[in-house]
Amino acid sequence: MNATILDSFAFPYKVRKSINDPEHPLSLEELNVVEQVRVRVNDQESTVSVEFTPTIPHCSMATLIGLSIKVKLLRSLPDRFKIDVHITPGTHASEDAVNKQLADKERVAAALENSQLLEVVNQCLSSRT
Amino acid sequence: MAANSDVLLGLVEEFVSGQQDSKAADTATGVKTGQFTILELVEALGLSLTSSQPQTRGRGVQLLSQVLQECYDNLTEREVEVLIAFYENRLKDHYVITPHVLQGIKALTKCKAFPPGLSVSILRSLFQDVHVQSLMLQERSCVYNILMNLMESREEELKGLGADFVFGFVQAMDGERDPRNLLLAFQIARNILHRGYALGKFTEELFEVTSCYFPIDFTPPPNDPHGITQEELILSLRAVLTGTPQFAEFLLPLIIEKVDSEVQSAKLDSLQTLTACASVYGYKELTEFLPGLWSSLRREVFQTASEKVEAASLAALSALTACLSRSVQHSDADDALQGFLDLVLRDCQHHLCEPDLKLVWPSAKLLQAAAGASHRASYKITAAVVPLLLEQYNSRTQCAQRRTLLEVVQGFVQPVQSNLPSDGDDSVLSGFREPLCSLVFSALSESNSGLQVTATRVLTALGQQPGLLSASDVELAADHLTRLILEEDEPQVSSAVVDCAGSLARVQPAAFASRMVPKLKDHIFSEPMVLGDGSITTQTHSQQALRQRCVMALAVVSSHPSLVQETAPILLQVLASAHTGSGSFTVEELVSVCRSLQRIAAHTQDTAETGRFFHDIIIPRLLGLALQAALQGEDQGGWQSPLTEEAVLFALVPVLSTACSHLQSELAALTASRAVSLFLDGDGSFLPENDFQTPIQLLKKQSEAWRQSQLVCLLMACVCSMPRSVEIPQTDRLFSELEELSCTCAHPFSYTSAAKCFAGLVNKRPSGEALDSVLERTMKRISSELDCVSSSYRMQAFTLLLWVAKALLIRYHPLSTDLTDKLFSLLTDPELGGAAADGFSLIMSDSADVLNRACHADLRIMYRQRFFTENSAKLVQGFNSAEKERKSGYLKALSHIVNHLPRQVQLTELPALLPLLLEALSCSDQGVQLSTLSCLHPVLLDPPPALTPQVDGLVHRLLAMTTSPGMKVRIAALRCLHALCRLPEHTVLPFRARVLRALAKPLDDKKRLVRKEAVLARGEWFLLGSPGR
């Protein structure tokens, strides 16, 4: 099961690191935002926990990245799994606030009602570059 | 005469006043046949030409011009002179007349009898009296044609005009807008430049008037009848702009400006134009602009997101460097090339040392492009860069960074055609041989597989540099590679290592023969350790993998004939010791030994030496071993040689057939006759150790003698793979014995091989009565066998039928239709129906061991399409008329046939077959489902409109199949569902909720590959109809 989950993170991450960066869009895995060691899966108890590491401590995209990961997991995993997405401890300035937002089912659902936000998330998840 | 002139007057009258255009053609015919002369025509026209009405004058001139267009060839110099004087004068006349005057002049300029001096006067009056750009499109084109004609025939006179000609042309084309005329104008401009007309002070004007179109942005109108493409315009303009070094001072700034453009096509065009002009220019033209050009190119490579732009920039840099390398050095000035390369190095070098290596790739590519341009350039760049990279490599500790650096090194080491050292020069790398070798060897000793793989690539590249590596280097390399083969079990590493060994061995076989081959041999023959209690240690698994790697490495390393003589006997020895039981080898190991032998046979096809080696040693030895094994099995009850295993024999077939198909004709004929006499007469005198006591009768049916009869597959390998020119002896006897064996033997492998051998011979037999009678006899036997429902040999007869049908079908033999019809009729047979349906898969696909191109079979291209078009109707009809429980056979056959058609044909044929294929999806046979799904998938990627009404049924069936018991079916169904998203949104959106719900289940599938496809498909269906897709 673990392998499938890491497969899911090979989606292009379209937000460029900096303007001068000549690289093409990178995936979260390539940016080391998501790493295999920080993904924990328990198939028996049906839980998945993902820690992600924003590129810089003040990364303004942290919530969006977390939301994208969460949505991707919701779409890619069987219903039985309980999904927990949070920031690797000590890697972001407003860690608690972001974690709280991501853990709140209502807020995630509400965010996905927002068509502008959904558009950005979908763009992050789209396999077409 | 009088009558003629009356006729002429009548014609003129009808044309001029009567406005009958057809009379011009009549007049022209009259002039051509000699009925009238031009002079008479002019006289007859007299009144109209002098009329006070411009329209009448125009009509008169038109008639004259049209006649001249038909018969300009028959004019005398005197006539031309008078006519030209007249036309020049008419240029000053009323504007309605001008078009006809231009037509007339154009006709006259094609005339061969053209008096000297006239062209100058024509051009003078043309440039003076006509304002070209206020003319209509047709007339402008006429002017360009006049210029072209004169340039062709009167080059000297035009050059006498000096720069005035260029000035006149510049004025004439200034502001031209029509693409057709532009092509003509560019052609003239190119001629001016290439044929050395004096540009005088009008160089800049000529440049301005053409370069204003650069870069060309032209989209042809839809349904353009003229078929002018942007590409055509770009190329012809480029030929003008790069036509002379005199344009350099104007063109280069323009290029620097346009490279900065936002439009990608403009960027590309500019870069390509730069590349083109670098081949014309020299140092003098470039020098002033080099810094500007370099900074543009650098910017493009560092910042671009487009591979095309990057490639074009690199090509331009390479062309610039090559240009500078060509230019002669002046002792007083700085060396141009040195200066430019200093610039390049200054800007790129430091990126190679930056800690995060961010711009290392673009810099490396730029440096490599410059280095690839010439030997001198590569010398300078290598001298600067390689030490730097070596130092960097040693100072870094992270594997990823080291790997990047090593990949960059590889780029510099890779030999490029243009910078191979000319005679006497050393390779540019010769100064770095030692540090590079130690770098590679240290990387090979690392434990990181990525580093190891890259290091083998660098080593391969070093080996390809002629004369770089010394013998001791290669020996050391062979030791390292041997160690890696023996120790590394990662498939990626070992295949890279083996490839590297193969490439080095081609250059320096001796080192590998002495260093690598003996060690590999030791490991192949070392016995796995068996513990005291008989249980085999866990090592055996890795031991087997090691043996496999050694066996494979032996094959790849045999890239030189001298090595083949070392390696092939080792492999033979493995087979021999397995046969005698002195070495314990598993069947899989023997199969991979056979594969290695086949690889050697396929690789060394072109050397006569190896061909003879195979003929003399390997083929007889293999046949001998197989025969001994078969006979031994009969004699002794106990020990069974593994060479009697079907899998091993099956693997031996390609070895023999590859070897035989590459033999030269005399050796091939000899081998064929030996094999035939061995199998027909039991003559084994050419085999080594031929001490067979019992007379051998391999093709005769004996009870329980399947070990001997299955050897017929080796006969097939030998005789069916020969070139068609090789005569196979005793074919008639062979045919009858093979037919007998294939129809009466009970052992499946034996009778199938006999049928294949029969088919292989039939395929190559020239058509004629001999072949027809054999076929007739065989067909009779097959039919009677098949018609007898109680016969126990029906399967055998069917197998023979199938193979013979294929043999005839692929060579377009007229009898093939009868055989395939017979197969179609078997589709409803209760016993053979399934086999018949699957048989179509065999007929449509390439078989690996016989009836393929490698075996020199008579194989027509497109036989599949032909078979499909001839038979699809029969299949559909058969399906419709069959009873319900018999329909599946037809569906299966159809899906097999369609599946093997080329994609293009599938796409055009499928819409018609779609309903039938959908029906095939609900057929319970998994093979049919899979084959149908694999037909459908490409269609869904490019969905035809005919699909839309079927979507409902399709979605329903595909969803049902996502829970099929067959994993491959589940995967294929999910792929098709994924592809369905490509259909127009409104057709699939209604199914979104249903599909998403159904796809939740395969997300939890027990197979990883299924889950992966499910995730992909479900993700895509989620995006359907939502924003940001």
Side-chain angles (χ1 to χ4, degrees):
Chain A
M1 202 30 107
N2 204 341
T4 313
I5 289 176
L6 213 73
D7 289 342
S8 325
F9 290 117
F11 53 81
Y13 174 52
K14 287 195 170 176
V15 187
R16 285 202 171 187
K17 261 199 303 186
S18 64
I19 311 289
N20 284 333
D21 194 337
E23 298 287 350
H24 299 286
L26 291 167
S27 79
L28 290 183
E29 203 176 346
E30 286 165 323
L31 289 171
N32 281 338
V33 172
V34 180
E35 295 164 282
Q36 181 137 26
V37 287
R38 301 196 192 285
V39 177
R40 274 182 288 276
V41 182
N42 189 329
D43 201 12
Q44 269 84 46
E45 293 175 20
S46 295
T47 56
V48 175
S49 150
V50 178
E51 286 181 348
F52 66 99
T53 317
T55 44
I56 44 170
H58 293 279
C59 183
S60 55
M61 295 288 173
T63 325
L64 178 65
I65 296 174
L67 187 62
S68 301
I69 296 174
K70 184 127 190 175
V71 171
K72 180 74 189 178
L73 289 176
L74 284 170
R75 290 177 183 179
S76 310
L77 289 176
D79 296 340
R80 62 189 169 90
F81 279 94
K82 183 180 183 306
I83 297 160
D84 173 32
V85 176
H86 58 268
I87 296 180
T88 315
T91 59
H92 196 264
S94 43
E95 192 182 315
D96 289 338
V98 175
N99 283 346
K100 210 169 164 188
Q101 282 190 2
L102 288 174
D104 190 338
K105 261 189 191 167
E106 309 279 302
R107 291 187 70 169
V108 170
L112 295 180
E113 301 275 299
N114 178 339
S115 72
Q116 267 175 331
L117 198 52
L118 184 61
E119 180 172 348
V120 180
V121 170
N122 277 343
Q123 272 168 358
C124 288
L125 302 185
S126 170
S127 54
R128 278 176 280 250
T129 46
Chain B
M1 273 316 277
N4 270 350
S5 66
D6 286 344
V7 174
L8 185 59
L9 271 177
L11 285 170
V12 169
E13 179 64 27
E14 280 169 38
F15 185 86
V16 177
S17 329
Q19 303 285 334
Q20 294 185 30
D21 289 343
S22 60
K23 297 299 166 195
D26 298 345
T27 319
T29 326
V31 174
K32 258 195 270 184
T33 52
Q35 200 182 359
F36 342 109
T37 62
I38 287 288
L39 184 65
E40 283 164 353
L41 174 63
V42 175
E43 278 168 357
L45 277 167
L47 270 180
S48 8
L49 294 181
T50 52
S51 157
S52 60
Q53 290 294 316
Q55 272 76 13
T56 316
R57 291 205 301 278
R59 209 58 197 160
V61 175
Q62 188 183 1
L63 177 60
L64 183 58
S65 297
Q66 286 189 356
V67 172
L68 285 177
Q69 274 172 33
E70 296 285 328
C71 28
Y72 55 84
D73 260 346
N74 310 329
L75 298 177
T76 64
E77 279 197 19
R78 179 73 197 135
E79 283 169 334
V80 174
E81 204 173 329
V82 172
L83 285 167
I84 289 282
F86 164 74
Y87 273 122
E88 273 179 35
N89 190 264
R90 285 302 95 195
L91 278 175
K92 299 186 174 68
D93 202 341
H94 196 271
Y95 70 91
V96 294
I97 303 175
T98 316
H100 309 303
V101 175
L102 290 174
Q103 291 292 351
I105 297 182
K106 182 176 130 190
L108 288 172
T109 53
K110 285 191 250 175
C111 179
K112 287 196 195 74
F114 200 73
L118 266 191
S119 50
V120 174
S121 89
I122 292 181
L123 287 176
R124 279 194 201 288
S125 26
L126 200 60
F127 291 150
Q128 205 168 19
D129 299 327
V130 184
H131 182 242
V132 179
Q133 289 308 319
S134 57
L135 297 174
M136 300 299 282
L137 179 106
Q138 279 289 317
E139 283 74 55
R140 297 204 300 273
S141 146
C142 202
V143 173
Y144 298 131
N145 274 313
I146 293 174
L147 292 181
M148 296 254 271
N149 290 341
L150 290 176
M151 285 176 97
E152 288 306 323
S153 55
R154 302 282 137 184
E155 191 173 320
E156 286 312 310
E157 288 176 37
L158 297 197
K159 281 185 178 164
L161 267 172
D164 287 353
F165 175 67
V166 176
F167 180 64
F169 167 68
V170 166
Q171 277 195 320
M173 83 160 284
D174 191 2
E176 179 60 62
R177 292 169 312 277
D178 187 81
R180 282 161 285 175
N181 283 344
L182 274 179
L183 279 179
L184 288 176
F186 290 156
Q187 177 69 38
I188 296 173
R190 195 167 81 178
N191 289 348
I192 290 179
L193 297 174
H194 280 256
R195 296 182 187 173
Y197 286 80
L199 298 180
K201 51 186 193 287
F202 298 113
T203 313
E204 187 167 0
E205 275 75 7
L206 182 59
F207 177 76
E208 285 299 329
V209 85
T210 47
S211 69
C212 63
Y213 301 99
F214 179 82
I216 284 189
D217 180 20
F218 167 66
T219 326
N223 312 324
D224 179 23
H226 310 293
I228 292 177
T229 62
Q230 174 162 9
E231 195 57 26
E232 243 176 301
L233 284 166
I234 287 179
L235 290 179
S236 57
L237 176 58
R238 188 174 297 158
V240 175
L241 295 181
T242 60
T244 168
Q246 294 177 56
F247 282 167
E249 54 174 320
F250 315 114
L251 178 61
L252 293 172
L254 183 67
I255 286 181
I256 293 177
E257 182 195 323
K258 296 294 178 190
V259 167
D260 205 10
S261 155
E262 285 292 306
V263 187
Q264 182 174 328
S265 67
K267 257 192 216 289
L268 276 176
D269 190 5
S270 311
L271 290 166
Q272 283 160 355
T273 307
L274 177 59
T275 311
C277 62
S279 61
V280 187
Y281 293 177
Y283 166 64
K284 193 162 63 71
E285 285 77 28
L286 287 173
T287 175
E288 192 188 335
F289 303 99
L290 282 175
L293 287 171
W294 162 241
S295 67
S296 298
L297 292 175
R298 186 191 53 189
R299 187 193 57 225
E300 288 311 313
V301 174
F302 278 0
Q303 292 184 2
T304 189
S306 147
E307 277 174 33
K308 274 192 200 155
V309 173
E310 186 188 86
S313 310
L314 294 176
L317 176 61
S318 201
L320 282 180
T321 318
C323 168
L324 293 175
S325 314
R326 271 197 312 273
S327 56
V328 186
Q329 294 182 36
H330 299 289
S331 51
D332 51 337
D334 288 342
D335 182 2
L337 179 67
Q338 297 291 337
F340 182 61
L341 292 179
D342 282 336
L343 202 63
V344 175
L345 281 168
R346 192 195 69 204
D347 286 337
C348 291
Q349 217 170 7
H350 63 95
H351 289 302
L352 300 180
C353 318
E354 271 166 15
D356 57 350
L357 299 174
K358 213 165 73 170
L359 286 174
V360 72
W361 271 118
S363 308
K365 279 180 188 161
L366 282 167
L367 288 168
Q368 282 158 9
S374 72
H375 184 63
R376 265 205 300 153
S378 77
Y379 196 84
K380 178 163 170 85
I381 289 185
T382 316
V385 171
V386 171
L388 198 70
L389 288 169
L390 291 170
E391 186 198 314
Q392 280 292 309
Y393 182 86
N394 291 326
S395 64
R396 303 272 173 191
T397 47
Q398 281 190 32
C399 279
Q401 290 177 340
R402 286 186 147 193
R403 185 177 173 186
T404 310
L405 286 165
L406 207 53
E407 278 167 350
V408 173
V409 170
Q410 189 205 341
F412 284 103
V413 172
Q414 203 76 49
V416 183
Q417 202 53 49
S418 64
N419 66 6
L420 284 181
S422 45
D423 302 329
D425 278 348
D426 273 343
S427 160
V428 288
L429 294 164
S430 54
F432 302 107
R433 181 183 62 83
E434 210 173 314
L436 278 174
C437 283
S438 58
L439 170 81
V440 167
F441 295 146
S442 90
L444 283 177
S445 322
E446 297 275 348
S447 59
N448 179 288
S449 60
L451 265 180
Q452 290 171 335
V453 170
T454 317
T456 58
R457 293 209 191 104
V458 179
L459 186 55
T460 311
L462 285 172
Q464 282 163 353
Q465 293 274 4
L468 180 65
L469 295 182
S470 68
S472 62
D473 291 332
V474 177
E475 280 178 13
L476 206 55
D479 286 342
H480 273 283
L481 294 173
T482 312
R483 181 181 55 77
L484 284 172
I485 292 173
L486 299 179
E487 289 171 8
E488 272 306 322
D489 46 7
E490 192 142 329
Q492 224 182 343
V493 179
S494 43
S495 84
V497 166
V498 167
D499 287 343
C500 174
S503 133
L504 286 180
R506 195 170 303 132
V507 192
Q508 304 232 7
F512 284 85
S514 65
R515 298 283 178 135
M516 185 181 265
V517 174
K519 279 198 188 153
L520 294 180
K521 185 180 173 185
D522 287 349
H523 280 85
I524 291 176
F525 284 102
S526 72
E527 288 297 313
M529 272 179 282
V530 179
L531 288 183
D533 56 357
S535 69
I536 301 171
T537 57
T538 48
Q539 271 189 323
T540 41
H541 195 68
S542 63
Q543 177 81 19
Q544 280 180 359
L546 173 62
R547 263 189 187 166
Q548 300 262 13
R549 284 204 300 276
C550 292
V551 166
M552 200 219 355
L554 278 184
V556 181
V557 130
S558 311
S559 48
H560 191 273
S562 69
L563 276 166
V564 173
Q565 318 240 348
E566 303 276 340
T567 55
I570 299 178
L571 296 172
L572 281 179
Q573 202 182 330
V574 174
L575 293 177
S577 75
H579 164 60
T580 55
S582 61
S584 63
F585 291 92
T586 62
V587 169
E588 293 84 64
E589 282 167 346
L590 296 181
V591 168
S592 67
V593 164
C594 292
R595 245 182 243 138
S596 286
L597 273 173
Q598 187 207 352
R599 192 170 167 152
I600 295 176
H603 254 268
T604 48
Q605 41 184 284
D606 34 6
T607 57
E609 198 184 338
T610 342
R612 183 160 277 284
F613 178 66
F614 265 88
H615 171 261
D616 291 346
I617 314 274
I618 300 195
I619 296 175
R621 188 101 177 88
L622 288 175
L623 282 174
L625 279 173
L627 189 59
Q628 279 172 16
L631 295 175
Q632 187 191 41
E634 300 300 308
D635 300 340
Q636 310 155 358
W639 161 251
Q640 274 302 318
S641 164
L643 293 190
T644 57
E645 293 281 344
E646 193 175 309
V648 178
L649 280 176
F650 196 69
L652 269 179
V653 170
V655 180
L656 287 174
S657 71
T658 314
C660 288
S661 64
H662 291 144
L663 286 178
Q664 281 132 324
S665 48
E666 315 96 76
L667 297 182
L670 192 57
T671 306
S673 70
R674 280 171 172 184
V676 170
S677 62
L678 171 66
F679 278 86
L680 286 182
D681 310 320
D683 173 14
S685 56
F686 72 100
L687 301 175
E689 304 167 37
N690 53 340
D691 51 348
F692 311 114
Q693 290 92 20
T694 48
I696 31 181
Q697 288 187 306
L698 295 173
L699 294 183
K700 288 278 175 275
K701 194 183 120 189
Q702 296 151 354
S703 57
E704 297 302 309
W706 57 269
R707 283 194 195 85
Q708 287 179 38
S709 64
Q710 68 181 354
L711 290 184
V712 70
C713 71
L714 301 182
L715 174 67
M716 172 192 82
C718 291
V719 297
C720 293
S721 56
M722 297 290 178
R724 259 176 276 164
S725 55
V726 173
E727 179 80 24
I728 309 288
Q730 308 194 58
T731 20
D732 287 330
R733 245 186 94 197
L734 267 181
F735 274 135
S736 67
E737 300 228 354
L738 285 169
E739 181 194 310
E740 185 62 30
L741 183 65
S742 68
C743 287
T744 57
C745 181
H747 183 236
F749 185 53
S750 302
Y751 71 71
T752 311
S753 299
K756 278 161 137 179
C757 188
F758 188 90
L761 291 172
V762 161
N763 176 259
K764 285 184 199 167
R765 193 98 169 120
S767 46
E769 268 182 34
L771 179 65
D772 289 343
S773 70
V774 169
L775 288 175
E776 195 186 334
R777 195 188 64 213
T778 314
M779 269 310 292
K780 212 177 268 171
R781 176 153 188 187
I782 291 175
S783 305
S784 69
E785 220 42 272
L786 284 174
D787 291 342
C788 169
V789 184
S790 59
S791 163
S792 56
Y793 291 120
R794 287 189 83 211
M795 192 63 200
Q796 279 82 334
F798 164 74
T799 310
L800 185 59
L801 169 69
L802 188 61
W803 282 101
V804 176
K806 172 157 184 164
L808 295 181
L809 176 70
I810 61 174
R811 67 179 267 191
Y812 287 4
H813 192 278
L815 213 65
S816 66
T817 328
D818 294 349
L819 299 183
T820 48
D821 284 349
K822 185 91 191 149
L823 282 174
F824 280 123
S825 72
L826 284 174
L827 281 174
T828 49
D829 186 286
E831 189 189 353
L832 294 173
D838 285 332
F840 284 98
S841 164
L842 188 147
I843 284 188
M844 297 296 278
S845 58
D846 286 320
S847 31
D849 44 5
V850 73
L851 295 179
N852 55 32
R853 253 176 234 297
C855 293
H856 307 287
D858 188 354
L859 181 64
R860 305 293 182 89
I861 51 168
M862 318 256 272
Y863 83 90
R864 295 184 180 89
Q865 284 94 311
R866 193 175 130 135
F867 181 69
F868 174 76
T869 37
E870 280 175 4
N871 292 300
S872 62
K874 278 183 214 167
L875 266 175
V876 175
Q877 198 192 353
F879 171 79
N880 289 331
S881 60
E883 298 158 43
K884 198 142 197 257
E885 55 271 29
R886 301 259 178 264
K887 279 183 194 279
S888 70
Y890 284 99
L891 288 177
K892 205 166 170 184
L894 179 73
S895 111
H896 283 316
I897 293 172
V898 174
N899 201 15
H900 284 100
L901 287 178
R903 292 286 174 234
Q904 276 314 309
V905 186
Q906 274 190 357
L907 289 181
T908 51
E909 297 293 339
L910 268 176
L913 297 172
L914 213 53
L916 217 56
L917 284 176
L918 286 181
E919 193 134 2
L921 280 184
S922 38
C923 168
S924 60
D925 185 316
Q926 279 184 27
V928 181
Q929 289 178 351
L930 195 58
S931 156
T932 315
L933 286 172
S934 63
C935 301
L936 269 175
H937 188 245
V939 188
L940 294 177
L941 292 179
D942 189 10
L947 197 65
T948 318
Q950 313 279 359
V951 173
D952 195 358
L954 193 57
V955 169
H956 177 74
R957 294 199 170 98
L958 287 175
L959 286 179
M961 273 191 262
T962 58
T963 51
S964 150
M967 179 181 84
K968 284 188 178 155
V969 176
R970 296 203 296 276
I971 292 177
L974 286 167
R975 280 203 186 131
C976 286
L977 277 167
H978 187 178
L980 268 183
C981 291
R982 286 172 180 250
L983 262 64
E985 206 168 273
H986 67 275
T987 56
V988 281
L989 201 56
F991 306 102
R992 183 172 182 261
R994 187 166 139 205
V995 172
L996 288 179
R997 220 173 318 116
L999 285 185
K1001 198 160 176 230
L1003 284 181
D1004 216 358
D1005 200 279
K1006 58 183 183 299
K1007 290 288 186 186
R1008 193 173 89 82
L1009 290 172
V1010 179
R1011 294 199 297 271
K1012 200 173 146 196
E1013 293 296 335
V1015 166
L1016 287 176
R1018 194 159 189 254
E1020 209 57 41
W1021 275 88
F1022 258 110
L1023 293 179
L1024 201 68
S1026 72
R1029 188 188 184 198

